[in-house]
Amino acid sequence: MRFLKRNSADTITAEGLLTAKSEDAFLPYEGKVISHIIINRYSFERSFIDTAKKINYFGTRILNSLHTDTREWAIRDNLFIKPHTKLLAYRLADNERYLRSLEYIQDARILIKPVLKESDSAGVYSNSDELTNISYPKTAFDSVDVYIITKDLFSLTGELNSLTSEKFKLKVSDANVMGIAQKVQVNTLIEKSRNPASGIGLFYTKYNIAGTFIDASAGITTIAPNLYDATNDEHAYYFSLQRQLISQYSHAAGGLSTGHYQTFNEYNKPAPYFFSYSYNTFDAWFGYNLSVEKFIKDRDRKAKQFISLRYFTTDFLQTPSQVADKLNFRFNNKQAVLGQFTFFRQQFYKTNYIYNFGTTEDIPYGYNVAVTAGLYKQSYLQRVYAGIDANRYIVTSRADIIQYFFRAGTFFNKGEWQDAEILLGGSGFSRLLLFKNFKLRQYLRLTYTHQFNRLGLDPLNINNTFGVRYFNSDSTLGDQRISLHTETISFINYKAFGFKFSPFAFFDVSVLTPEHEPFSKSGSYYGVGGGLRTRNENLIFGTTELRFVFFPRKAQQSKSFEASIRINIAFKYNNNYVQEPDIIQLNSDYRNNVY
């Protein structure tokens, strides 16, 4: 056994392991003029580590006939750099990370090739397509060529959730139709107990419209899960425009979305069990990066500053009779104006074998703190809100990955603090342990959550990432929660038809205190289990997970033992600089909502 060490350079070992600061490979060329930008694109059947090697397994020819490689202009539209401008190392590092975040790109690497001064220019250019064959002259240079190397995913995917004599549910999508960065998705459902028996959903996304980095999405469906029990009887249509802060050098981010949602009693439920509702939504936010020019001039600045403002409204045209005039966070009208100030000093490491099976993953290090305040109206309650979301990311010298987080928020109304909440904890992945036939990581997460004077928000539960994962009961509620989750993850050095395998075992424990009760009245809940994950990382199709879970303490509506298969799971570590302003959530984790 040996440990994976952190290096200052972009290093790929014989085992395909990678660990490096994302900006280190570019810092030696800081301020040099970019002469040319050369795009090298590899299809999904090429090996990214050895580009001379093609991946051949059963069905590759058929898949190739269904796949269109990403167009070169589509890759260029996603670049932050231009020829004849100065190279900025952190911007280039952000660009490489951004390319990897695209849904239809498996991996991306940016390499620099110095261009000799005119008197020494003989033999400078090498037209090789191989990553490993780009050499670096040792003589003086004043400009550089930038090589952009990307590897496609096979973008066509499908997901079959149910296949019985009573129910058929299928999703088919292509995340890169015609290779021009657009996604089309079709969902279908046929179920005998439903009237009508069939339903459909159609969705379209155009990524990066005209090089603006704005993504546009629209959809219409008759089989959306409803807000009450996730039955597929909600009809909806929506439209959305979104632009993330793609780089610490970007000036602006924001979004605009609107939609209409309505339930129909297509399963003929008795009146007490059918939540009939109809509502409209409108949500708009905009943010501006105050630090771009200052950061370019002074690279040692401790933090970047980002300010943002958000307005949103949820307007129920029809409220479920079961809710009536009660305060219920899911079914109340909501309207808010929230402002946020974020300061961050956040860079990234390139590594692998965190969530994925060997492709490059971007792990933050540094800190990110967002302070939010504004007016929030829920039903008849109009209150002032204030909250903070603070995160500290660490990659140790021995390549352990650690995150500490603190989140707190409260409403203030008529001289009283209401719906106050606090969440603090930490999580971490161990360094990658290497054995002869497999690789191993250990994951650990510990959290403490408390609500005070709850009035309008949902109470704490354990059916989420901060509780006991895969727990089925939503009736186990409280106002204080302590949870521990640990998981052992292995990656086998074996591949079948392009699929890799990852056996895992986990243990969860959560202590939940019922509302308005002392800690001595707390109940303990456990989950222990394991399973196998598999994925072909040349396909956009996500991870498939076979899971077994045993709950020693059976709660109301919860099974003691569960075996299930989840298909197309999206595992990804959060790597955003900022989020839209929002109140603190205690039953979900938008930053790392996987474990």
Side-chain angles (χ1 to χ4, degrees):
M1 180 177 68
R2 58 191 176 88
F3 300 113
L4 177 64
K5 300 291 187 179
R6 182 175 67 175
N7 300 306
S8 59
D10 187 338
T11 303
I12 302 178
T13 70
E15 296 90 348
L17 305 178
L18 170 67
T19 178
K21 286 184 177 180
S22 59
E23 70 275 9
D24 279 358
F26 310 125
L27 286 173
Y29 310 102
E30 179 77 18
K32 301 298 181 181
V33 174
I34 298 172
S35 180
H36 301 88
I37 299 175
I38 301 98
I39 308 290
N40 286 337
R41 297 166 295 132
Y42 297 112
S43 189
F44 72 93
E45 82 279 5
R46 299 286 291 272
S47 169
F48 200 67
I49 296 175
D50 181 2
T51 56
K53 178 182 178 182
K54 282 195 174 184
I55 301 167
N56 271 311
Y57 48 82
F58 179 76
T60 301
R61 289 185 179 180
I62 297 175
L63 296 180
N64 261 315
S65 67
L66 299 172
H67 175 79
T68 302
D69 289 346
T70 305
R71 314 281 182 172
E72 181 173 328
W73 63 261
I75 298 296
R76 288 190 182 275
D77 275 355
N78 285 290
L79 299 183
F80 307 164
I81 58 174
K82 295 180 180 180
H84 314 301
T85 61
K86 289 187 177 181
L87 186 151
L88 299 173
Y90 289 98
R91 174 179 284 170
L92 210 55
D94 277 343
N95 205 161
E96 186 183 70
R97 177 178 58 84
Y98 176 74
L99 289 172
R100 280 193 290 270
S101 74
L102 299 177
E103 189 174 355
Y104 47 88
I105 296 296
Q106 184 202 48
D107 210 339
R109 195 80 81 246
I110 297 179
L111 301 176
I112 308 300
K113 182 177 181 180
V115 177
L116 297 181
K117 292 182 178 179
E118 187 172 347
S119 58
D120 299 319
S121 60
V124 168
Y125 291 99
S126 168
N127 292 324
S128 170
D129 286 340
E130 305 303 321
L131 301 183
T132 55
N133 288 345
I134 297 177
S135 58
Y136 299 94
K138 296 182 179 179
T139 50
F141 62 94
D142 55 8
S143 63
V144 295
D145 287 342
V146 178
Y147 284 77
I148 312 293
I149 300 98
T150 63
K151 182 179 183 297
D152 272 12
L153 284 163
F154 178 74
S155 59
L156 187 65
T157 184
E159 180 178 333
L160 183 62
N161 285 332
S162 301
L163 181 57
T164 67
S165 60
E166 300 294 322
K167 185 177 181 180
F168 174 84
K169 190 176 183 180
L170 175 69
K171 178 175 74 175
V172 178
S173 67
D174 190 333
N176 196 13
V177 179
M178 297 185 293
I180 59 175
Q182 59 181 349
K183 179 177 181 178
V184 175
Q185 180 175 311
V186 180
N187 295 355
T188 59
L189 173 68
I190 301 174
E191 191 169 0
K192 287 185 177 180
S193 60
R194 191 176 185 271
N195 184 24
S198 63
I200 192 169
L202 303 173
F203 308 93
Y204 175 79
T205 299
K206 177 64 182 83
Y207 301 106
N208 192 8
I209 300 172
T212 62
F213 297 98
I214 296 174
D215 299 334
S217 300
I220 182 169
T221 179
T222 62
I223 53 174
N226 68 46
L227 293 176
Y228 173 62
D229 60 6
T231 302
N232 298 112
D233 58 10
E234 183 182 271
H235 294 204
Y237 56 85
Y238 73 90
F239 175 75
S240 165
L241 297 171
Q242 300 293 331
R243 188 185 194 276
Q244 296 298 322
L245 188 69
I246 55 177
S247 166
Q248 56 193 315
Y249 284 92
S250 297
H251 286 92
L256 173 68
S257 62
T258 184
H260 175 76
Y261 308 84
Q262 183 175 356
T263 53
F264 293 85
N265 194 6
E266 295 167 332
Y267 290 86
N268 298 316
K269 296 179 181 179
Y273 301 101
F274 175 64
F275 278 56
S276 179
Y277 64 79
S278 173
Y279 70 95
N280 296 324
T281 63
F282 177 82
D283 192 341
W285 75 283
F286 178 79
Y288 190 79
N289 191 351
L290 302 173
S291 318
V292 175
E293 301 304 326
K294 294 179 181 178
F295 182 63
I296 293 175
K297 295 177 181 178
D298 181 8
R299 212 59 50 79
D300 294 327
R301 286 182 59 83
K302 296 296 182 183
K304 275 71 73 178
Q305 298 92 34
F306 184 85
I307 57 171
S308 54
L309 183 68
R310 180 186 182 192
Y311 169 79
F312 66 87
T313 179
T314 301
D315 183 19
F316 275 84
L317 309 176
Q318 180 183 353
T319 303
S321 59
Q322 297 89 332
V323 175
D325 296 326
K326 300 175 184 177
L327 288 174
N328 185 298
F329 194 69
R330 280 180 286 182
F331 296 107
N332 288 156
N333 288 334
K334 292 183 283 289
Q335 186 178 27
V337 178
L338 298 173
Q340 187 175 89
F341 177 74
T342 304
F343 57 98
F344 61 94
R345 188 180 188 185
Q346 188 175 323
Q347 307 297 342
F348 292 87
Y349 265 89
K350 292 182 293 188
T351 187
N352 49 16
Y353 294 103
I354 301 293
Y355 292 129
N356 295 330
F357 292 71
T359 54
T360 308
E361 299 176 71
D362 298 283
I363 304 298
Y365 68 94
Y367 58 84
N368 187 304
V369 180
V371 179
T372 304
L375 294 175
Y376 200 103
K377 184 178 181 181
Q378 177 187 345
S379 186
Y380 56 83
L381 279 177
Q382 183 166 312
R383 303 179 287 180
V384 175
Y385 177 79
I388 184 171
D389 183 352
N391 297 269
R392 179 75 169 98
Y393 305 99
I394 299 171
V395 180
T396 71
S397 60
R398 303 188 70 178
D400 298 307
I401 299 166
I402 301 170
Q403 177 187 359
Y404 300 107
F405 47 91
F406 172 78
R407 300 167 196 174
T410 187
F411 294 90
F412 186 73
N413 183 36
K414 297 180 180 179
E416 181 183 41
W417 300 105
Q418 298 173 346
D419 284 312
E421 52 191 16
I422 183 173
L423 167 68
L424 57 90
S427 64
F429 288 92
S430 73
R431 69 208 70 159
L432 189 65
L433 306 178
L434 304 180
F435 298 86
K436 182 178 180 181
N437 296 315
F438 65 96
K439 307 171 185 68
L440 187 74
R441 282 194 193 271
Q442 185 66 40
Y443 177 80
L444 183 70
R445 181 172 189 164
L446 178 65
T447 61
Y448 171 77
T449 316
H450 202 157
Q451 284 182 318
F452 305 88
N453 194 23
R454 188 183 71 84
L455 186 62
L457 299 185
D458 290 336
L460 301 180
N461 61 58
I462 59 172
N463 187 20
N464 57 69
T465 188
F466 290 124
V468 178
R469 294 189 308 152
Y470 319 120
F471 199 73
N472 292 324
S473 174
D474 58 3
S475 61
T476 306
L477 307 173
D479 61 11
Q480 187 174 202
R481 180 181 63 206
I482 303 173
S483 298
L484 172 69
H485 170 61
T486 181
E487 181 162 325
T488 302
I489 311 159
S490 62
F491 300 91
I492 299 175
N493 297 337
Y494 171 77
K495 186 189 300 184
F497 301 110
F499 286 86
K500 298 180 180 179
F501 301 92
S502 173
F504 65 95
F506 67 88
F507 174 72
D508 290 356
V509 57
S510 190
V511 179
L512 186 68
T513 307
E515 285 193 283
H516 314 302
E517 296 287 350
F519 184 76
S520 59
K521 299 290 185 179
S522 301
S524 299
Y525 303 86
Y526 309 90
V528 59
L532 179 70
R533 299 184 183 114
T534 182
R535 183 176 183 181
N536 184 331
E537 292 199 313
N538 298 298
L539 310 180
I540 196 170
F541 194 80
T543 301
T544 297
E545 178 185 86
L546 171 64
R547 181 185 68 247
F548 302 92
V549 189
F550 174 64
F551 301 105
R553 176 178 177 177
K554 184 177 179 180
Q556 183 181 2
Q557 300 176 359
S558 178
K559 300 177 182 178
S560 295
F561 179 80
E562 180 181 292
S564 62
I565 296 178
R566 292 197 303 167
I567 300 174
N568 207 23
I569 304 170
F571 287 89
K572 181 173 280 191
Y573 205 95
N574 169 72
N575 58 18
N576 291 330
Y577 288 117
V578 299
Q579 304 281 348
E580 66 270 25
D582 201 357
I583 65 173
I584 298 298
Q585 302 293 329
L586 300 181
N587 290 321
S588 64
D589 185 7
Y590 67 86
R591 286 194 175 273
N592 296 299
N593 203 8
V594 175
Y595 284 98

